């Protein structure tokens, strides 16, 4: 909490409000463009999620951040599936095969779950998914259903953290931190559960020997 307040405390509220007013309808478009470019270049998305909440508030911040994340996800996935496949395969050699195995097992539900994993490089996952066997439908639907819930806690942190700096009201920030903790705990539980299932030996196959009485 102290780190979030320290970062957000450096934001000039008056300057932000002036920037938003001067940008007008272009403010969301500029933010979406910045977010998309950063995601394509695999830069950390968490600071941008916090910024979205600080700039636009919890609900519009979630909307614009989700739109930007979806645009970046579609663009990078399409690039990998077409002209960039060989180049991305060389870059991610030995790193995307495990993801492909998990996607084959879990399909759409794994795609949703992996989007909820905190601190997972969003842009890197987009490129890696393009190398796997996931279908366009499962990729798009899984990304759509998993991206917004994964983004929401950090947008709320950005919005509530800025409010805490301005007014001293810590209750919304505590709620956002609790939501983030639930997200982290849930995704960690899911990954451990998947790992334990993958590590457990398969059940013994039934014996094909005939019973003497069946002869």
């Amino acid at each position: 909490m102290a780190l979030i307040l320290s970062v957000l405390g450096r934001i000039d509220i008056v300057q932000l409000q002036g920037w938003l007013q001067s940008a007008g309808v272009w403010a969301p478009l500029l933010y979406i463009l910045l977010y998309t470019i950063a995601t394509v270049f695999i830069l950390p998305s968490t600071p941008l999620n916090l910024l979205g909440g600080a700039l636009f508030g919890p609900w519009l911040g979630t909307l614009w951040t989700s739109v930007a994340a979806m645009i970046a996800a579609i663009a990078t996935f399409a690039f990998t599936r077409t002209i960039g496949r060989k180049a991305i395969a060389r870059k991610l050699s030995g790193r995307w095969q495990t993801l492909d195995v998990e996607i084959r097992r879990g399909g759409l539900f794994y795609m949703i779950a992996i989007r909820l994993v905190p601190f997972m490089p969003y842009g890197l996952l987009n490129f890696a998914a393009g190398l796997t066997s996931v279908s366009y439908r499962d990729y798009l639907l899984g990304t759509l259903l998993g991206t917004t819930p994964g983004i929401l806690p950090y947008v709320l942190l950005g919005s509530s953290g800025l409010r805490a700096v301005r007014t001293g009201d810590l209750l919304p920030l505590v709620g956002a931190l609790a939501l983030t903790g639930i997200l982290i705990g849930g995704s960690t539980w899911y990954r451990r559960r998947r790992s334990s299932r993958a590590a457990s030996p398969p059940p013994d196959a039934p014996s094909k020997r005939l019973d003497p009485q069946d002869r």
Side-chain angles (χ1 to χ4, degrees), residues 16-155:
L16 268 182
Q17 291 175 340
W19 180 82
L20 286 174
Q21 290 175 357
S22 62
V25 296
W26 294 102
L29 296 178
L30 291 173
Y31 172 74
I32 289 171
L33 179 62
L34 172 65
Y35 196 105
T36 303
I37 292 174
T39 303
V40 169
F41 284 95
I42 320 181
L43 298 177
S45 59
T46 299
L48 290 171
N49 297 336
L50 294 171
L51 179 62
L55 284 175
F56 304 107
W59 310 122
L60 285 178
T62 301
L63 173 63
W64 300 135
T65 303
S66 298
V67 169
M70 283 300 301
I71 291 174
I74 293 170
T76 48
F77 184 83
F79 172 78
T80 305
R81 279 288 170 97
T82 55
I83 59 175
R85 186 174 185 86
K86 291 183 178 179
I88 300 300
R90 285 196 299 269
K91 282 282 186 181
L92 301 181
S93 178
R95 301 168 66 183
W96 62 270
Q97 287 84 352
T98 302
L99 177 64
D100 190 32
V101 171
E102 295 294 336
I103 286 178
R104 287 177 184 271
R105 290 175 179 170
L108 172 62
F109 295 102
Y110 184 80
M111 200 68 230
I112 295 172
I114 200 69
R115 290 298 186 185
L116 296 174
V117 176
F119 313 118
M120 175 72 71
Y122 194 85
L124 183 62
L125 179 59
N126 296 337
F127 285 113
L131 297 173
T132 68
S133 57
V134 66
S135 66
Y136 278 96
R137 173 188 170 277
D138 285 353
Y139 176 79
L140 293 177
L141 189 56
T143 298
L144 180 63
L145 295 176
T147 292
T148 299
I151 283 173
L152 178 60
Y154 300 100
V155 175

Side-chain angles (χ1 to χ4, degrees), residues 1-13 16 46-52 54 154 157-166 173:
M1 183 184 294
L3 178 60
I4 294 171
L5 293 176
S6 175
V7 172
L8 294 175
R10 300 174 186 176
I11 297 177
D12 190 329
I13 307 299
L16 268 182
T46 299
L48 290 171
N49 297 336
L50 294 171
L51 179 62
Y154 300 100
L157 279 176
S159 175
S160 59
L162 190 59
R163 179 178 174 181
V165 171
R166 296 174 63 183
L173 179 59

Side-chain angles (χ1 to χ4, degrees), residues 161-206:
L162 190 59
R163 179 178 174 181
V165 171
R166 296 174 63 183
T167 66
D169 184 7
L170 296 178
L171 186 59
L173 179 59
V174 172
L177 286 170
L179 185 59
T180 305
I182 293 171
L183 178 66
I184 294 174
S187 60
T188 302
W189 171 83
Y190 179 83
R191 294 181 72 186
R192 287 180 177 175
R193 183 167 176 263
R194 295 290 305 181
S195 299
S196 62
R197 280 188 174 184
S200 61
D204 294 334

